[in-house]
Amino acid sequence: KHRYNSSRYMEKIKKHYTEGYSENIRFKRDNMHKPEFILTFETIRKYLKRDMKILELGAGTGAYSIQLAKEGYDVTALELVEHNMSMLKLKIKPKMKIKTILGNATDLKMINGKFDMVLCLGPMYHLKNKDRLKCLKESIRVCKKNGILIFAFISNYLPIADNFKKNIKELMRNENNYTSNFHRKDDVFTLVTVDEIEELFGKVKLKKLDLLSPDGISRLLKDEINKFNKKQFAFWLDYLRKTANDPSLIGYGEHLLYIAKK
């Protein structure tokens, strides 16, 4: 069994985004990918107030930070991967109030001041073990009293269900890649159950406001959704909105949002 090495693992994450995966086009790639951004931003908007100072941890190439800065918010965007940060910086316009920091979400000592809202919409996709709790505690520390914190996770069950659909033979051939409860082994992504999310937040003092899935089972219906015209896609988005925080469905969403108040 490999012992978890935090710094080596962080290098693996950087390599994933620098050499293999284009974060810049993720939300625009096709209909299947769009709901995550659309419904996550709608969720953020519910808690926005004028003159808020916002910190985004793991800002990627700036999808959320740039949109918030466009709308006049004072944004600080922290990102681990230099490649992603360089693309984010290209999108900054002169009048935007946006500060960029290259850094790790598990250690925010370089962050000055406190924020009305802390968004952590990427780091928990990757962080493991104690690093996940470190990130959570650091997010709370830099958040003002009564501030809003929003965390995104990847659900454990949707990806395995998608693999059942795509290629059952391949999945069974590689069943040793999974633990007995279908967690992926040795992956750059960390997949969690709803119970694991609740257990994590049980270790800190925050008031839970909501838990929802912004994209539900979109990945399972990818082929169908990618053929939708605008009207059909709008109908699908409405279904996702209305079922986003149904307790009987949340765990099968691909992405999960936990919203809390300090």
Side-chain angles (χ1 to χ4, degrees):
K1 188 177 177 180
H2 295 295
R3 187 169 288 175
Y4 175 65
N5 180 303
S6 181
S7 57
R8 196 181 301 148
Y9 182 67
M10 292 300 169
E11 289 307 313
K12 195 173 173 182
I13 293 168
K14 290 177 189 176
K15 189 175 179 183
H16 171 78
Y17 285 104
T18 305
E19 296 178 13
Y21 188 80
S22 176
E23 178 67 16
N24 205 36
I25 62 164
R26 179 159 76 94
F27 297 129
K28 303 169 190 170
R29 187 174 294 155
D30 52 28
N31 281 348
M32 187 275 283
H33 283 85
K34 289 175 185 174
E36 182 193 351
F37 177 80
I38 295 168
L39 271 71
T40 297
F41 207 88
E42 285 178 11
T43 301
I44 294 167
R45 203 179 286 289
K46 282 182 193 173
Y47 301 97
L48 285 174
K49 290 176 185 168
R50 282 185 64 187
D51 302 321
M52 269 188 162
K53 280 186 70 181
I54 300 168
L55 170 66
E56 185 182 7
L57 304 174
T61 60
Y64 297 101
S65 284
I66 295 294
Q67 184 59 39
L68 288 162
K70 272 183 190 171
E71 295 183 19
Y73 292 97
D74 183 333
V75 179
T76 298
L78 179 136
E79 170 57 25
L80 178 73
V81 183
E82 211 166 329
H83 175 71
N84 287 345
M85 180 60 86
S86 62
M87 283 193 268
L88 187 157
K89 285 179 176 177
L90 290 173
K91 299 172 189 175
I92 298 173
K93 300 287 188 286
K95 288 185 180 177
M96 289 181 183
K97 289 185 281 184
I98 184 164
K99 180 184 178 187
T100 60
I101 300 172
L102 198 66
N104 191 322
T106 64
D107 181 4
L108 303 179
K109 61 176 175 282
M110 78 295 281
I111 299 286
N112 297 316
K114 298 219 169 181
F115 296 83
D116 302 289
M117 180 181 278
V118 177
L119 304 174
C120 184
L121 303 175
M124 295 295 189
Y125 291 180
H126 302 287
L127 294 174
K128 297 180 188 293
N129 308 342
K130 290 177 183 174
D131 283 338
R132 200 183 298 164
L133 185 59
K134 272 187 200 171
C135 176
L136 176 54
K137 286 181 174 177
E138 282 289 82
S139 300
I140 295 167
R141 185 179 64 77
V142 298
C143 186
K144 288 180 183 174
K145 191 180 178 188
N146 296 316
I148 299 295
L149 300 103
I150 303 178
F151 296 85
F153 297 85
I154 301 177
S155 169
N156 189 58
Y157 298 118
L158 194 285
I160 188 81
D162 187 41
N163 285 335
F164 270 108
K165 184 184 176 188
K166 281 195 300 198
N167 192 338
I168 182 64
K169 288 178 183 173
E170 180 68 18
L171 179 64
M172 290 176 76
R173 248 196 316 273
N174 294 296
E175 63 180 310
N176 289 335
N177 290 343
Y178 297 89
T179 64
S180 58
N181 62 346
F182 294 105
H183 275 60
R184 276 290 295 265
K185 295 178 190 173
D186 192 33
D187 195 357
V188 78
F189 290 97
T190 301
L191 312 184
V192 295
T193 65
V194 170
D195 284 349
E196 285 168 332
I197 293 173
E198 297 288 8
E199 186 186 334
L200 175 66
F201 283 90
K203 294 174 182 174
V204 295
K205 287 185 179 177
L206 286 176
K207 182 185 176 186
K208 179 184 176 182
L209 300 177
D210 208 352
L211 176 62
L212 61 99
S213 174
D215 50 4
I217 58 168
S218 295
R219 184 171 289 277
L220 280 185
L221 302 175
K222 180 166 88 172
D223 295 340
E224 293 77 14
I225 292 167
N226 284 340
K227 291 173 190 165
F228 286 171
N229 60 33
K230 280 189 178 179
K231 198 169 180 181
Q232 291 165 336
F233 181 67
F235 190 50
W236 175 245
L237 276 181
D238 199 40
Y239 168 78
L240 291 174
R241 278 187 198 101
K242 286 171 180 168
T243 58
N245 49 14
D246 184 327
S248 64
L249 298 174
I250 291 168
Y252 253 103
E254 181 172 13
H255 297 91
L256 306 173
L257 294 178
Y258 191 102
I259 301 100
K261 188 175 183 178
K262 183 170 173 179

